Each structure stands twice: as C-alpha cells, then as structure tokens.
C-alpha cells in the first residue's frame, strides 16, 4: 500500500519545551489512525505539523508525495491535499454555510462559483445538513456547525483528513451525529488521523490506535489489542482514567 | 440684551454651505483615515521590524501632539516640499493623517480580538495569509470595533472646527465671518452649537444604520 503521510524523526520545540521527540509515523492510503493520550502529550501538535500549522525543528514530512519544507509552494501543495477539522469548528461567522464551503474551492482550486456550489451542496447533503446552506454558523447547533466544518474541508476534495478533538467542544447529545459522519467518511475509504478520546469510535473504525505521552509515541496497536492488552504502564493508566467514566 | 437671530437666518445659505464643507472635511478625512488604518495594520502584521517601527512611531507622534500643531505643520511643511494645496485640501490631509493614527490603534485591537482558530482554518484550507486577512479576519474585526470607529468618526467631525485656523472652508469659519460682519457673537455661536449637535446626532444615527446593514450576520 502506498503511504499517504510519512513523518520521520520529527523534533519540535516550543521555546525550551520539547513538544515532539523523534516522532516516526507512516500512514497508508485509506488508513484510519486514532491518536490519544493525556493533554499536553503532543497529539494535536503532531497533526498540526502535517499541514504546517506548526513548524518543526528537524525531521521530514511527506504528504501525498509532497515533501514539506518552508517554501510556500510545498506548504500550498500539502494544504490542498489535506483537510482539517478543529475542536472549535472555526466556521467563518460572517459567511453563510454555503459561502464557508465555496470560499477555498474558488480561491485555491480555482473552481467557478457554480462548480463550487454544486460540490458544496453535494457534501452538505452528505453530512445531512443540505437544508441549512443559507444559514449563518451562529444559527446552527454545535453538532451542525462541526458537520459543516467537515463538509467545508471535504469540498477541497482532500486525500486525507485531520481531526483535532472534533467532539470535545460539543454538548454530549451532539457527539453522536458528528461521530456518525466521521464513521461514514471512514467507510468511504478516506485516510484519517483523529485526535480523540472517543474510544467507541476508535474501536469501530481505527486501523491503528496510537498512544502518546510527553511528546513521544509510547504504544501503537490495532484497537482490539490496544484496548484488551495495553503493553505500557502509562497506556494502562490512561485507559483506566478515560474508560472509568464510560 | 436683545437677541436678533435675523443675522443668522439671513445667512442661512452661507451656513448651509459651511455645513456641507464640514461634512466634506469629515467624510474625506475619515476615508483617508480608514485607508491609513487598514494599511497600517497590514504593515504591522508583516512583522518586519523597520516598517513596524515606522508605523508605531507615526501612531505615537500623532496621538501625543496637538491637532492644531499638526495642521499648522502640514500647512507650512507641504509647500516646502513643493506641494501647494488649498487650505481645504490641507485640512483633509491633516484630518486623515490624524484619524489614521487612531484608526490603526482601533483596528489593530479588533484584529487581535479575532480568535486564532479563524486564521488557522483559513490557512488549513490552503488560503494565503493576505487572503485570510482580507476575506476572513477583516469583516469580523471591523464589526468588533465598529462602535469605537463610529465615536472616532464623530470626534473627527467635531475636530474639523480646528481647520478654521488655516481658513479651510467649513462651518466654524463661516460663523466667524458672519460674526465679524454683524458682531452678533451669541446668536452665531448658539446657532453653530445647534448645527454641530444635529450633525453629530444624525451622523451617529446614519453610522448605526450602516453598521446594522454591513454587519447583519448573526453573532453567537
């Protein structure tokens, strides 16, 4: 299987704080990865390096065949291929749902308005929110906003999707609708890296679960083995913490 | 003391043109101020030390010196540079530059109030930094500071009275001329006060209406 994302020997600092320590991660095309770990372990930082929202000190990142470096061209190429969904949705408040979805396709992919709108309506239907296209983000619930954010990313027809704690800011009753959308996306073969503590989701769709602590990948395994037989003490402690409440 | 407002009513045409002159100074000044304000913030955001230093110095000099001195400076400095402008154009430039320095500070505050996630979402979608600023950050930032910008505009409108000092064509200079011809100081300045008050209130009302129209999207 061809690899979609390759990270080798990634080192990242925030000032003196060593945020990522020798991260090596290869994600195959169509693979679904769930990243978990305590807060401050570096999981968000890791996925934010993939689309260059964070810069690294050393190491190599190749995404869909594009080697990331500081040149705007390389960054552009990678960002065109990778969609991202954020914890806080980050929809643009002054634009309608539809305008949110067509902005980047028109600017970046140079689609005409009618092409972009057709694509946007297709993906809004896909996340079951087609009838809200003319509304503004503030008029939607959190779960609806996050589904729009997913649709907005999909409108760029990305080859891989990054999810940075997509359900953490949601009221409990809205978590399911967002997870269902993500599951259906996974079923369609999208390459996905999800930072999440939704272990049900991990069991359901992940090919691999990766546990991080202190900027390092501590353990990775298929979900069944990861949950039933965690190898490291830190993984067991973490799973004990989060599963205690479920 | 007997009051005689006929000197004022007789001069209604002059007062009307004076009022239009004041409005012209205020609007032109505000447009220049907005251009300077947005340009200044764009320069600050490039985070290059020399341009940033120049913008910061400009803001501090303008905000910490009297407008009367600034307008004299422009009036007497521009001819030395070979630029000859009539007093009204000089006043527009001085008002614009002065308002621009305040606008930079206000707009910068607005831009900083926009959550970083908005910028990141734009960048992650593949937009460039300047597109993110123009298409994503600017409108919500202006909305956030629109009330402050509006009061700054009212202040600028009232500041136009100082332009009398270089004989720019506006309401106060018209008033002074009527007073000089009639010696009816009370009637003239009583009337000017009323006209300025009406200008301010009407402008405030118009700005509020424009704000409701321009920023009609619902807020969380």
């Amino acid at each position: 299987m061809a690899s979609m994302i390759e990270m080798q020997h990634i080192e990242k600092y925030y000032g003196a704080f060593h945020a990522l320590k020798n991260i090596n991660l290869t994600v195959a095309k169509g693979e679904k990865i769930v990243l978990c770990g305590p807060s401050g372990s570096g999981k968000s930082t890791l996925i934010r390096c993939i689309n260059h929202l964070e810069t690294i000190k050393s190491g190599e990142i190749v995404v869909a065949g594009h080697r990331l470096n500081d040149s705007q061209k390389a960054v552009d190429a990678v960002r065109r291929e990778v969609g991202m969904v954020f914890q806080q949705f980050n929809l643009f408040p002054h634009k309608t749902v539809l305008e949110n979805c067509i902005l980047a396709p028109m600017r970046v992919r140079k689609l005409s308005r009618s092409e972009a709108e057709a694509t946007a309506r297709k993906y809004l239907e896909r996340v079951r929110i087609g009838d809200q296209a003319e509304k503004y983000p503030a008029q939607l619930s959190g779960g609806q906003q996050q589904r729009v954010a997913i649709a907005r990313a999909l409108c760029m027809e990305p080859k891989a999707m990054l999810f940075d704690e997509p359900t953490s800011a949601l009221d409990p009753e809205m978590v399911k609708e967002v997870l269902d959308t993500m599951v259906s996306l996974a079923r369609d073969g999208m390459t996905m890296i999800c930072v999440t503590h939704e272990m049900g989701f991990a069991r359901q769709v992940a090919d691999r679960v990766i546990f991080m602590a202190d900027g390092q990948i501590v353990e990775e395994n298929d979900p069944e083995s990861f949950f039933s037989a965690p190898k490291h003490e830190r993984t067991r402690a973490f799973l004990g913490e989060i599963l205690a409440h479920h | 003391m007997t009051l005689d407002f006929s000197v004022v009513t007789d001069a209604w045409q002059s007062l009307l043109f004076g009022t239009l002159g004041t409005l012209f100074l205020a609007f032109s000044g505000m447009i220049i101020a907005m251009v300077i304000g947005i340009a200044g913030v764009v320069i600050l955001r490039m985070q290059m030390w020399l341009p940033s230093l120049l913008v910061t110095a400009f803001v501090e000099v303008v905000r910490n010196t009297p407008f009367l001195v600034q307008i004299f400076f422009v009036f007497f400095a521009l001819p030395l540079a070979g630029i000859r402008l009539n007093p009204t154009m000089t006043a527009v430039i001085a008002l614009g530059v002065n308002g621009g320095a305040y606008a930079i500070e206000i707009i910068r505050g607005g831009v900083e109030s926009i959550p970083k996630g908005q910028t990141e979402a734009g960048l992650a979608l593949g937009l460039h930094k300047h597109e993110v600023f123009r298409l994503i950050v600017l409108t919500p930032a202006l909305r956030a500071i629109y009330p402050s910008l509006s009061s700054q505009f009212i202040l600028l409108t009232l500041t136009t009275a100082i332009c009398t000092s270089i004989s720019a064509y506006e309401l106060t200079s018209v008033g002074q001329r009527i007073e000089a011809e009639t010696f009816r100081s009370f009637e003239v300045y009583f009337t000017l006060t009323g006209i300025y008050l009406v200008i301010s209130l009407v402008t405030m009302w118009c700005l509020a209406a424009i704000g409701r129209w321009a920023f009609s999207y619902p807020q969380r």
Side-chain angles (χ1 to χ4, degrees):
Chain A
M1 247 197 310
S3 68
M4 179 64 74
I5 297 167
E6 265 180 72
M7 303 178 91
Q8 277 174 3
H9 308 300
I10 306 299
E11 302 285 344
K12 160 88 187 163
Y13 289 82
Y14 291 111
F17 178 67
H18 201 168
L20 293 178
K21 300 169 185 165
N22 191 28
I23 297 291
N24 291 284
L25 173 64
T26 302
V27 182
K29 189 166 180 298
E31 202 178 7
K32 292 106 186 83
I33 307 278
V34 163
L35 259 181
C36 60
S39 68
S41 59
K43 43 200 197 313
S44 288
T45 305
L46 189 154
I47 65 166
R48 288 161 57 86
C49 287
I50 295 171
N51 64 352
H52 206 258
L53 287 182
E54 303 285 350
T55 53
I56 54 175
K57 180 163 180 286
S58 62
E60 190 177 71
I61 301 175
V62 180
V63 182
H66 304 285
R67 190 175 307 269
L68 254 185
N69 52 44
D70 287 333
S71 81
Q72 188 63 46
K73 233 181 121 185
V75 174
D76 286 348
V78 167
R79 287 182 179 159
R80 265 199 302 273
E81 311 291 7
V82 178
M84 189 169 208
V85 175
F86 300 83
Q87 182 176 355
Q88 298 296 339
F89 329 137
N90 295 342
L91 295 179
F92 309 135
H94 56 305
K95 295 185 178 293
T96 64
V97 164
L98 190 67
E99 288 166 348
N100 263 276
C101 291
I102 64 174
L103 178 66
M106 287 177 67
R107 290 260 153 198
V108 181
R109 287 225 181 267
K110 311 290 180 202
L111 297 189
S112 71
R113 175 174 285 269
S114 57
E115 289 171 312
E117 281 188 7
T119 312
R121 290 195 189 277
K122 178 177 88 183
Y123 285 114
L124 287 170
E125 286 300 332
R126 167 91 207 266
V127 301
R128 291 175 295 108
I129 209 155
D131 50 343
Q132 316 274 4
E134 316 305 329
K135 287 197 178 168
Y136 285 91
Q139 295 167 315
L140 304 181
S141 72
Q144 290 173 320
Q145 290 193 47
Q146 193 61 300
R147 284 187 281 143
V148 170
I150 294 172
R152 180 175 73 177
L154 291 176
C155 285
M156 287 293 286
E157 313 268 4
K159 292 186 175 144
M161 288 278 284
L162 309 173
F163 291 84
D164 191 359
E165 306 209 25
T167 56
S168 304
L170 293 173
D171 292 335
E173 73 271 21
M174 293 169 183
V175 170
K176 187 174 176 298
E177 63 186 68
V178 170
L179 289 179
D180 286 348
T181 306
M182 291 168 63
V183 169
S184 102
L185 197 59
R187 298 256 152 82
D188 285 1
M190 178 63 78
T191 308
M192 294 163 69
I193 304 184
C194 311
V195 173
T196 181
H197 291 161
E198 295 294 336
M199 293 302 136
F201 172 78
R203 272 182 201 278
Q204 204 178 346
V205 307
D207 297 304
R208 264 190 292 161
V209 181
I210 296 178
F211 174 71
M212 283 183 77
D214 298 328
Q216 286 172 305
I217 293 179
V218 173
E219 177 164 356
E220 56 176 285
N221 220 327
D222 63 274
E224 209 34 63
S225 325
F226 181 86
F227 291 112
S228 57
K231 290 189 285 263
H232 284 76
E233 184 48 44
R234 293 209 60 167
T235 318
R236 282 195 288 271
F238 175 76
L239 287 176
E241 288 283 321
I242 61 164
L243 296 178
H245 303 290
H246 284 256
Chain B
M1 185 172 93
T2 52
L3 293 179
D4 177 11
F5 276 95
S6 67
V7 297
V8 175
T9 46
D10 287 348
W12 70 272
Q13 276 176 314
S14 306
L15 289 170
L16 176 65
F17 284 117
T19 302
L20 293 178
T22 289
L23 290 175
F24 171 76
L25 290 184
F27 279 95
S28 320
M30 194 61 190
I31 288 166
I32 295 175
M34 280 302 291
V35 171
I36 292 177
I38 292 175
V41 171
V42 168
I43 292 171
L44 287 176
R45 279 173 62 86
M46 295 192 304
Q47 293 180 331
M48 296 189 294
W49 74 270
L50 186 60
S52 296
L53 185 70
L54 292 174
V55 170
T56 310
F58 164 73
V59 170
E60 291 308 321
V61 167
V62 170
R63 297 205 316 162
N64 293 294
T65 52
F67 179 66
L68 186 61
V69 174
Q70 290 167 15
I71 196 169
F72 280 144
F73 183 79
V74 174
F75 193 55
F76 296 114
L78 282 184
L80 292 182
I83 304 169
R84 296 214 161 269
L85 292 173
N86 64 38
T88 299
M89 291 318 291
T90 308
V92 166
I93 291 171
L95 286 166
V97 167
N98 180 273
Y102 287 93
I104 288 174
E105 278 301 281
I106 295 172
I107 296 171
R108 194 180 60 144
V111 168
E112 280 168 6
S113 77
I114 303 304
K116 232 172 151 253
Q118 292 284 306
T119 302
E120 290 177 349
L123 292 176
L125 284 165
L127 298 167
H128 285 164
K129 257 177 109 175
H130 62 272
E131 292 173 309
V132 168
F133 179 75
R134 190 162 52 84
L135 302 168
I136 297 172
V137 175
L138 194 55
T139 302
L142 290 178
R143 175 179 181 147
I145 51 151
Y146 192 74
S148 319
L149 270 184
S150 300
S151 7
Q152 194 61 42
F153 186 32
I154 300 293
L155 212 59
L156 187 101
T157 307
L158 301 179
T159 305
T160 56
I162 296 179
C163 302
T164 298
S165 57
I166 57 164
S167 314
Y169 188 77
E170 44 71 55
L171 186 57
T172 303
S173 64
V174 169
Q176 278 184 333
R177 215 172 46 242
I178 300 172
E179 187 221 359
E181 288 162 6
T182 63
F183 305 106
R184 287 283 173 184
S185 312
F186 181 85
E187 290 85 340
V188 169
Y189 289 117
F190 183 85
T191 308
L192 288 199
T193 304
I195 296 176
Y196 276 115
L197 186 62
V198 170
I199 290 177
S200 291
L201 294 177
V202 171
T203 307
M204 235 183 279
W205 182 84
C206 288
L207 287 173
I210 291 171
R212 276 194 301 275
W213 168 77
F215 304 114
S216 59
Y217 62 89
Q219 195 89 296
R220 230 165 296 240

